[in-house]
Amino acid sequence: MSTQAAASEVGSSTPAGADPAPMTHREILEALSGLLLAMFVAMLSSTVVTNALPRIVTDLNGSQSGYTWVVVSTLLAMTATTPIWGKLADLFSKKMLVQSALVIYTIGSLIAAFAPSMGVLIGGRVVQGLGVGGLTALVQVVIASMVSPRERGRYSGYIGAVFATATVSGPLIGGLVVDSPLGWRGCFFVGLPFAALAFYVLQRRLHLPVVRREVSIDYLGATLIVGGISSLLIWVSLAGSSFAWASATTAALVALGLALIAAALYVESRVAVDPVIPLRLFKDRTTALATLASVMVGVAMFGATVYLSQYFQLARGMSPTEAGLMSIAMVGGLLVSSIVSGRVISNTGIWKRWLVGGLVLVVVGLSLLSTIDADTPLVLVGVFMALVGVGLGSTMQNLVLAVQNNTSAKDMGAASSVVAFFRSLGGSVGVSVLGAVLSTQVAGTVRTGLADMGVADTGHESSSIPDLAALPAPIRDLYEHAFGTAVGHIFLVAVPFAILALVCVLFIKEVPLRTTLSDAAEPLGPKSPEASAAGPIEAHAGGATVPVPAARQSPMRNA
């Protein structure tokens, strides 16, 4: 699906039989500038609030479960809507959809900024997640429609750089804002100027023809998937605190979640005309394994970024600004590896070794982070974080690239959004599960410590997130020890997920990256002898059948 920058009308359609010329590097960079701004807004929505969360939860009298759900609510909304945005991209103007996502993000940010309670704040974060889901899916879809897979590695480096910039600047900006007179509410205003600038740049620079096809939005499937996942996440987050693990409530939530997921699988495979998650995509081994690896990477990535901030503030007594500075270690590694891997992949067309090496580093880094406690030297913590950052930088975008390279043009929106969907799903599950482990362990350690001190525990002391500065020195030391040890243990829980991701990548069969866009419409798999004798390969673009010169034919046919 090639594009032409000259098609300036938002609602213009590519005429049947047309074969638009590829965009020049300058045209791609002009359009990409707006897309990268939109991606920056999406990443900033989670990173800028990371270091503010302990202060927010304390100010709004929240609990560890509330802390978790401020993050999970956004991830869940993003997860739920990402495939739907991908489907809409096949029906409506991609430019209009990206701008709509920016508007929705802005509305959610304003709700969160003025939230009087944890409930309203979580609701605002849900609205934010709806917009972020669109930005996450659509940026990948638009780039895939402009750039060939071989060249996409080059531009994936830019995406990685933006991700790293948002990840490192977000905590720093958030920490500075929290420590300023604006307080934590200012964190939700920070992204608005960037959203407005992204909207303007996209209006001026992004010019894509609308390639329309009949699409049926699978609202039933999306609703069932979200309902099933939400039921299980609620169970994991609240079990052990609001109700017992072995209880009627647990049985009801688990049964409901599994029943809804089973119903969703039936709808997606038998009922939906155009399923939100096309199960046929998973017949391709690369797509299936890369998607499963994305789930596991989501667990590791979000666990590392969300709870390390809590570790620095609650176990090491740092301010939000200081905690933001500590994140430079991990994000610096992510920045370097994402840019370097993207450039080398574009030059060579070889990508699997980067995925394998990256996940090896993630496994090693998480294993080392599992040894930290409240007394671990900060230099060592920084080195461990850098290893995880380098691993994630060469893994995240390249998993998407591997799937897009094996996907036909007509399925590009669905495939790109499915990978983003499952990575967000992994993040939602990871944050929820790791948050539940952290909450349970901290509560148990504090309860035991208070009993040893002869201090009565009313239940609030052990389950809530305290204001450490207001606590007596012995109790403050107890909380710091409890959080330091518990955060180390949640990284130990994350290690098996990273190992499973590594196993998935090892079994992926490497296919050299294509150098054309129109070849994406070709069927996947080996080329038969009959096809070899039939003459030149034909690709379909804009409804027309055009021959593909032998020099440009996709090497993926020999997979």
Side-chain angles (χ1 to χ4, degrees):
M1 180 169 45
S2 55
T3 60
Q4 187 175 17
S8 59
E9 294 296 326
V10 173
S12 64
S13 299
T14 301
D19 187 19
M23 297 171 65
T24 65
H25 179 61
R26 178 177 178 178
E27 292 168 339
I28 291 173
L29 285 180
E30 288 176 347
L32 193 64
S33 61
L35 295 172
L36 294 180
L37 274 171
M39 179 65 77
F40 181 78
V41 169
M43 296 298 103
L44 197 67
S45 68
S46 59
T47 59
V48 76
V49 78
T50 300
N51 286 324
L53 278 174
R55 192 75 58 85
I56 292 172
V57 177
T58 300
D59 189 35
L60 296 180
N61 299 317
S63 64
Q64 181 66 49
S65 293
Y67 183 107
T68 298
W69 274 93
V70 170
V71 179
V72 170
S73 58
T74 302
L75 289 175
L76 192 58
M78 179 174 68
T79 301
T81 56
T82 294
I84 296 177
W85 285 106
K87 291 292 184 183
L88 292 175
D90 292 326
L91 182 60
F92 300 107
S93 164
K94 297 177 181 66
K95 176 177 178 177
M96 178 197 70
L97 290 172
V98 176
Q99 291 176 318
S100 299
L102 287 168
V103 172
I104 294 172
Y105 164 83
T106 300
I107 294 172
S109 298
L110 293 174
I111 294 173
F114 294 104
S117 65
M118 286 295 295
V120 176
L121 174 64
I122 291 172
R125 294 282 289 170
V126 168
V127 178
Q128 268 192 323
L130 299 178
V132 173
L135 298 176
T136 302
L138 294 170
V139 168
Q140 297 284 356
V141 172
V142 172
I143 292 175
S145 69
M146 296 191 302
V147 186
S148 71
R150 178 65 175 264
E151 285 297 309
R152 209 169 297 152
R154 176 184 185 182
Y155 297 100
S156 293
Y158 297 141
I159 296 176
V162 169
F163 181 89
T165 302
T167 307
V168 72
S169 64
L172 287 173
I173 294 171
L176 291 170
V177 170
V178 172
D179 289 336
S180 74
L182 291 175
W184 61 264
R185 297 183 186 276
C187 293
F188 296 104
F189 291 109
V190 169
L192 301 186
F194 295 103
L197 182 59
F199 190 99
Y200 172 78
V201 172
L202 288 170
Q203 183 64 32
R204 292 290 304 274
R205 299 299 183 186
L206 181 61
H207 306 295
L208 291 176
V210 180
V211 182
R212 301 182 184 276
R213 72 179 181 89
E214 290 296 324
V215 174
S216 174
I217 305 299
D218 180 22
Y219 295 107
L220 176 59
T223 302
L224 290 172
I225 292 169
V226 175
I229 294 170
S230 299
S231 298
L232 296 177
L233 290 182
I234 291 171
W235 164 59
V236 170
S237 299
L238 301 182
S241 56
S242 299
F243 51 85
W245 286 97
S247 64
T249 305
T250 288
L253 287 173
V254 172
L256 177 62
L258 295 178
L260 290 175
I261 290 175
L265 290 175
Y266 177 79
V267 169
E268 297 298 275
S269 60
R270 300 293 183 86
V271 178
V273 175
D274 203 353
V276 67
I277 300 178
L279 299 182
R280 58 184 168 79
L281 292 178
F282 299 109
K283 293 180 180 179
D284 175 62
R285 186 173 73 178
T286 295
T287 299
L289 291 173
T291 301
L292 181 56
S294 295
V295 176
M296 305 305 149
V297 168
V299 173
M301 177 179 69
F302 287 101
T305 56
V306 170
Y307 293 111
L308 275 173
S309 174
Q310 200 170 17
Y311 167 78
F312 289 124
Q313 293 185 58
L314 298 181
R316 308 306 293 258
M318 293 184 179
S319 69
T321 301
E322 292 169 337
L325 289 170
M326 285 301 302
S327 67
I328 293 177
M330 184 170 68
V331 178
L334 190 152
L335 174 63
V336 172
S337 66
S338 63
I339 294 176
V340 170
S341 65
R343 287 288 184 176
V344 174
I345 288 172
S346 281
N347 291 335
T348 64
I350 299 172
W351 46 266
K352 182 175 177 178
R353 64 186 61 175
W354 292 96
L355 290 179
V356 173
L359 284 169
V360 168
L361 290 178
V362 171
V363 171
V364 172
L366 290 177
S367 300
L368 293 172
L369 282 172
S370 70
T371 66
I372 66 174
D373 56 26
D375 301 316
T376 304
L378 291 177
V379 173
L380 285 180
V381 177
V383 171
F384 301 162
M385 292 169 62
L387 288 175
V388 175
V390 171
L392 290 175
S394 60
T395 300
M396 290 185 302
Q397 294 302 323
N398 293 328
L399 282 172
V400 179
L401 179 63
V403 171
Q404 290 177 338
N405 187 56
N406 260 37
T407 303
S408 64
K410 65 184 179 65
D411 287 328
M412 192 63 69
S416 301
S417 61
V418 161
V419 176
F421 169 87
F422 279 100
R423 187 169 64 196
S424 300
L425 175 60
S428 302
V429 173
V431 170
S432 186
V433 170
L434 297 180
V437 172
L438 180 69
S439 178
T440 301
Q441 183 160 346
V442 168
T445 303
V446 171
R447 191 177 299 113
T448 302
L450 291 176
D452 293 342
M453 294 178 187
V455 178
D457 177 21
T458 63
H460 173 75
E461 289 85 348
S462 61
S463 61
S464 63
I465 297 179
D467 181 1
L468 294 181
L471 295 177
I475 298 180
R476 173 174 177 165
D477 291 342
L478 173 62
Y479 268 104
E480 289 179 347
H481 169 72
F483 274 102
T485 304
V487 169
H489 286 177
I490 67 173
F491 285 113
L492 184 61
V493 173
V495 169
F497 294 96
I499 292 175
L500 182 55
L502 175 59
V503 172
C504 290
V505 168
L506 288 173
F507 282 97
I508 290 178
K509 186 174 182 179
E510 181 162 26
V511 176
L513 298 179
R514 297 191 310 268
T515 59
T516 61
L517 287 170
S518 58
D519 282 349
E522 299 170 14
L524 302 175
K527 181 183 175 185
S528 66
E530 292 79 10
S532 300
I537 302 297
E538 294 181 336
H540 304 280
T545 302
V546 293
V548 179
R552 297 179 61 199
Q553 289 175 15
S554 171
M556 69 186 294
R557 289 190 202 89
N558 297 321

